Amino acid sequence: MSPPPPKRRTRAQSLDGLDALLEALRQQRQAALAQAAAERAAAERAALERDLFRRWVGPVQALSHPARVHPTRPRPAPTARQQMRDEAEVMREALSDDFDVSSLLETDDQLSYRRVGIGTDVLRRLRRGDWAVQRELDLHGLRTDDARAQLAEFIRACVRQGLRCVRIVHGKGLGSPGKTPVLKSRVHSWLVQKREVLAFVQARPAEGGAGALIVLLRGQR
């Protein structure tokens, strides 16, 4: 069988297609005219603004090189923040020689100290040697200022390393003028002022006796 002949478009269908094409062309032309009109208006507005600027400013001359302004105000000196923090830490941890420690010491046969909240059993355990001594500082024979500085640094270092029980040797003061144990009383006062110190007792005879202290430190937070 031969294929059926193609359908012919009617005159009305041809006219409808032509009208749609003409409408599309008309819309494109209108859009182009509107775009051209907008560009002309922008150009005219820019020209008017330039003319107005010239009338107000007058004749001008272009610079031969770019204009640059170099600030003359000196920069502020850098702030030594770490130094300020270190100095504040030193002031906060400063140990006073005038601190009265007598009312804070236990009035037993051997002077001892425990911070508020620390039970008397802690002192008994320190005396029995339940905690092994992990580090020792010997201040015997040092001047007061040197002993104070070394004690403060020793306590800080031990806490940073997580040490809990240490021995401080201050001597019995037999070589001091008038046989007065000045350094011994100062060490008691300094230790009480250190918040890292929880308690201390006089060392047993084999560990230095009246010339040394066994100190319990706060654990590292």
Side-chain angles (χ1 to χ4, degrees):
M1 295 180 61
S2 58
K7 294 181 180 181
R8 295 182 178 181
R9 299 183 62 185
T10 64
R11 183 179 180 81
Q13 291 175 336
S14 298
L15 291 176
D16 291 341
L18 181 60
D19 290 342
L21 178 61
L22 291 175
E23 178 62 22
L25 292 174
R26 186 181 65 81
Q27 292 179 0
Q28 291 179 2
R29 179 176 176 77
Q30 288 181 348
L33 291 174
Q35 178 67 24
E39 292 177 354
R40 285 196 303 272
E44 292 174 358
R45 186 166 55 252
L48 289 174
E49 291 176 353
R50 288 194 297 271
D51 184 60
L52 179 62
F53 176 79
R54 291 191 186 97
R55 288 203 303 268
W56 277 96
V57 175
V60 294
Q61 182 179 359
L63 295 175
S64 59
H65 56 81
R68 295 181 180 179
V69 178
H70 299 281
T72 57
R73 186 173 60 182
R75 294 181 178 180
T79 303
R81 298 183 182 276
Q82 185 59 49
Q83 180 180 353
M84 293 172 62
R85 286 194 291 266
D86 293 342
E87 291 176 354
E89 180 71 12
V90 170
M91 291 300 296
R92 185 174 60 83
E93 295 191 353
L95 301 177
S96 171
D97 293 338
D98 299 326
F99 186 80
D100 185 8
V101 71
S102 60
S103 62
L104 300 176
L105 297 177
E106 298 286 338
T107 56
D108 50 12
D109 55 340
Q110 298 175 346
L111 288 181
S112 58
Y113 166 76
R114 58 188 175 95
R115 192 169 292 278
V116 175
I118 302 299
T120 56
D121 60 312
V122 172
L123 299 180
R124 289 194 298 269
R125 295 180 63 187
L126 277 176
R127 289 193 176 100
R128 288 201 308 260
D130 289 353
W131 286 286
V133 174
Q134 299 169 292
R135 189 71 57 83
E136 177 180 292
L137 174 66
D138 190 352
L139 302 175
H140 183 255
L142 293 181
R143 297 177 57 184
T144 300
D145 291 342
D146 295 335
R148 182 195 301 108
Q150 289 197 25
L151 177 66
E153 176 57 32
F154 176 76
I155 295 297
R156 284 196 299 267
C158 290
V159 171
R160 284 197 302 265
Q161 298 171 21
L163 305 182
R164 298 298 308 277
C165 187
V166 297
R167 178 168 49 239
I168 308 294
V169 179
H170 48 65
K172 299 179 180 180
L174 300 179
S176 302
K179 305 297 182 180
T180 302
V182 177
L183 188 57
K184 177 178 180 178
S185 60
R186 292 285 173 81
V187 169
H188 288 168
S189 175
W190 296 338
L191 289 176
V192 169
Q193 295 177 64
K194 296 295 290 182
R195 67 184 187 280
E196 298 90 345
V197 174
L198 298 181
F200 60 77
V201 298
Q202 181 176 300
R204 291 177 293 180
E207 297 175 332
L213 296 172
I214 306 299
V215 183
L216 181 65
L217 300 176
R218 187 189 307 275
Q220 188 176 23
R221 297 178 182 177

